[in-house]
Amino acid sequence: MTQALIVIDVQNDFCPGGALAVADGDAILPGINALMEAFDAVILTQDWHPAGHSSFASAHAGRTAYEMTEMPYGPQVLWPDHCVQGTDGAAFHPDLATTRADLIIRKGFDPDIDSYSAFFENDQTTPTGLEGYLRTRGLTDLTLVGLATDFCVNYSAVDAARLGFSVTVRENLCRAIDLDGSLAAARQGMAELGVRLT
Ligand code: VGL
Ligand code: ZN
């Protein structure tokens, strides 16, 4: 009973028609739903920002989406407004089999800090609590799928590997944003930390 499937941010805003749509983001739904059956635990993450979140370009006068900015905790991409708490865009895609989930973990709710990773906010120190949940349940082997490969899946996989979990990313059940080579950099970074990419 050590195998957990972690489904990252399969939400309307990351799917076609959404505010931060990832190309083909909805194509992974049937495969993710089918994969849930093979795991001891299923965990979903949900990007969950307050309106006016500091990661939104609209919160920074004169800035546009996909530009970089400096936050107190380091460089940060400015995003279109997305996954605002309680909106339809923040809801899971209607075809995601959410009933099977043991835990739904929300992230990005602090107005001042973005949180790509399911484990730590972008200051790389504030924990979400997911590590404790996994350890207390004895879930040591993690498989990650979802959106987006090069941001939230990547940051989650890297943190999990650094924390000592055994980590597999099923790339065929992920889709990427790919800003300025971010997908290639993510794949290399994950591989260097021993994340299995399959
Ligand atoms: C994500 C950008 C901003 C993701 C979340 O889920 O990969 N990307 N917020
Ligand atoms: Zn976000």
Side-chain angles (χ1 to χ4, degrees):
M1 296 291 281
T2 63
Q3 310 254 356
L5 178 66
I6 304 183
V7 181
I8 305 287
D9 297 1
V10 181
Q11 295 165 256
N12 288 324
D13 269 343
F14 297 122
C15 290
L20 180 34
V22 180
D24 255 357
D26 55 347
I28 61 180
L29 279 152
I32 291 175
N33 289 341
L35 193 61
M36 289 180 182
E37 303 311 314
F39 283 82
D40 302 316
V42 175
I43 294 155
L44 310 179
T45 72
Q46 194 170 23
D47 210 38
W48 195 250
H49 300 305
H53 191 258
S54 58
S55 74
F56 297 170
S58 63
H60 302 260
R63 305 303 305 275
T64 54
Y66 305 104
E67 290 178 1
M68 296 296 299
T69 193
E70 272 307 314
M71 296 291 208
Y73 53 81
Q76 167 73 46
V77 181
L78 292 173
W79 301 108
D81 290 21
H82 66 279
C83 296
V84 173
Q85 296 171 358
T87 64
D88 188 56
F92 291 113
H93 188 288
D95 295 341
L96 184 68
T98 58
T99 306
R100 174 68 180 81
D102 298 339
L103 176 76
I104 297 172
I105 189 147
R106 289 173 168 168
K107 60 187 182 61
F109 45 74
D110 182 329
D112 300 322
I113 315 180
D114 205 1
S115 187
Y116 297 149
S117 167
F119 292 92
F120 295 99
E121 297 185 356
N122 284 10
D123 60 5
Q124 298 187 329
T125 51
T126 307
T128 63
L130 180 58
E131 178 192 1
Y133 178 88
L134 295 169
R135 291 211 196 282
T136 52
R137 284 196 62 188
L139 297 162
T140 51
D141 304 314
L142 313 182
T143 294
L144 275 63
V145 297
L147 306 170
T149 321
D150 42 345
F151 287 92
C152 292
V153 175
N154 170 40
Y155 278 72
S156 299
V158 162
D159 282 346
R162 286 192 178 129
L163 290 169
F165 293 96
S166 168
V167 188
T168 300
V169 170
R170 294 277 290 254
E171 280 195 281
N172 62 319
L173 295 178
C174 299
R175 290 294 182 274
I177 296 173
D178 205 11
L179 283 180
D180 292 326
S182 58
L183 178 57
R187 298 187 77 235
Q188 185 179 340
M190 288 190 280
E192 279 169 4
L193 279 164
V195 173
R196 268 184 304 278
L197 299 168
T198 64

